[in-house]
Amino acid sequence: MGRMIGSSSISFDKPPFIIEGASIVGRKEGDGPLGKLFDVVEHFGPRYSWTAQVEKLTQIKMLNYGVCGDCCDDIIYRMRQYALPEYVHHVIFLGGANDILQGRRIEDISRDYKRVLEWCEEKQYSLCVVLPFISTEQALNRQLLNLRQEAEHICGGKAFLLDLQPAIGMDAGARFKAYVDGIHPKSQTYEAMGSYAAPLIWKWLKNEKEA
């Protein structure tokens, strides 16, 4: 088999062999001189996100401060470093999956959820927590499901919980079609997620205003 080196690396007893490969790139690479050589060209970025679709459908101004690859502690650090505009009263937080991929423990991620709750309470922001998405990998999904339960336990009743999994796909076949690589949604999946989230976020904001 192999042995663990550090928290997320494996040293195999026998060297692995690569029998197949594929290249997935963004729009700029796809538009370049080698564009036709790539297997998949996906459109990523603030314009191609589920929050952009929510803004398009509801006309609610969405400030996307997300950085691909961030762990929860990275997000919290940037939240504390950069002042949000004065007109911002609501925060949507999506994090946790990258933490698991980077080998962070559920206990540490759970503490980060609590820190987000405390920060929003301190700043008097209403918080929406987006539950981590289920992937196409069974081993990873066991941890993601545990994390989703932790998020519900910690944030339930204190934040609005938004589950976008129905828009992505509940069964393995639907999830396989929805992701570029088993984890990251395709551009059309982001559009479906935004269309699903739009009325839920609209209702959340309406209820907050009337409270």
Side-chain angles (χ1 to χ4, degrees):
M1 292 291 292
R3 59 189 179 88
M4 292 296 296
I5 299 178
S7 61
S8 58
S9 299
I10 299 176
S11 175
F12 294 100
D13 296 332
K14 296 181 180 180
F17 293 90
I18 299 174
I19 59 175
E20 190 174 357
S23 55
I24 302 173
V25 299
R27 178 179 55 83
K28 288 187 177 181
E29 292 88 350
D31 290 342
L34 302 179
K36 293 182 179 180
L37 301 179
F38 299 118
D39 296 284
V40 177
V41 177
E42 272 294 328
H43 300 281
F44 296 109
R47 290 179 55 200
Y48 302 97
S49 65
W50 67 271
T51 54
Q53 179 70 0
V54 170
E55 182 171 359
K56 175 183 176 182
L57 295 176
T58 64
Q59 303 304 306
I60 298 170
K61 181 65 176 176
M62 306 285 285
L63 302 178
N64 191 342
Y65 286 84
V67 175
C68 186
D70 263 3
C71 292
C72 286
D73 53 349
D74 300 316
I75 299 171
I76 294 171
Y77 173 80
R78 287 190 293 105
M79 288 166 61
R80 294 185 178 278
Q81 291 296 312
Y82 302 110
L84 295 177
E86 291 186 3
Y87 61 80
V88 172
H89 301 289
H90 301 81
V91 170
I92 298 176
F93 183 87
L94 169 57
N98 285 324
D99 300 69
I100 291 177
L101 292 171
Q102 294 298 325
R104 297 190 72 213
R105 300 182 306 165
I106 296 289
E107 293 84 354
D108 296 326
I109 308 171
S110 297
R111 278 193 288 270
D112 287 335
Y113 278 123
K114 294 176 182 178
R115 290 168 64 195
V116 173
L117 281 169
E118 292 169 358
W119 181 79
C120 286
E121 184 177 352
E122 174 191 334
K123 298 293 184 180
Q124 297 185 329
Y125 293 134
S126 295
L127 175 64
C128 167
V129 173
V130 183
L131 299 178
F133 312 141
I134 304 302
S135 73
T136 60
E137 300 295 330
Q138 290 186 2
L140 177 59
N141 284 345
R142 284 192 287 270
Q143 298 182 73
L144 289 170
L145 288 169
N146 288 337
L147 182 58
R148 285 167 63 94
Q149 292 178 350
E150 276 294 297
E152 291 174 347
H153 174 71
I154 293 169
C155 303
K158 300 176 182 178
F160 172 60
L161 298 179
L162 179 59
D163 186 5
L164 299 180
Q165 196 63 48
I168 298 170
M170 302 300 291
D171 61 82
R175 293 197 302 271
F176 181 81
K177 295 177 182 178
Y179 294 121
V180 174
D181 54 2
I183 300 172
H184 298 94
K186 296 178 179 178
S187 54
Q188 60 264 39
T189 306
Y190 276 128
E191 185 174 335
M193 291 162 63
S195 298
Y196 179 85
L200 299 176
I201 291 177
W202 179 270
K203 184 177 180 180
W204 169 53
L205 296 178
K206 182 175 182 290
N207 292 340
E208 286 286 314
K209 186 176 181 180
E210 295 175 350

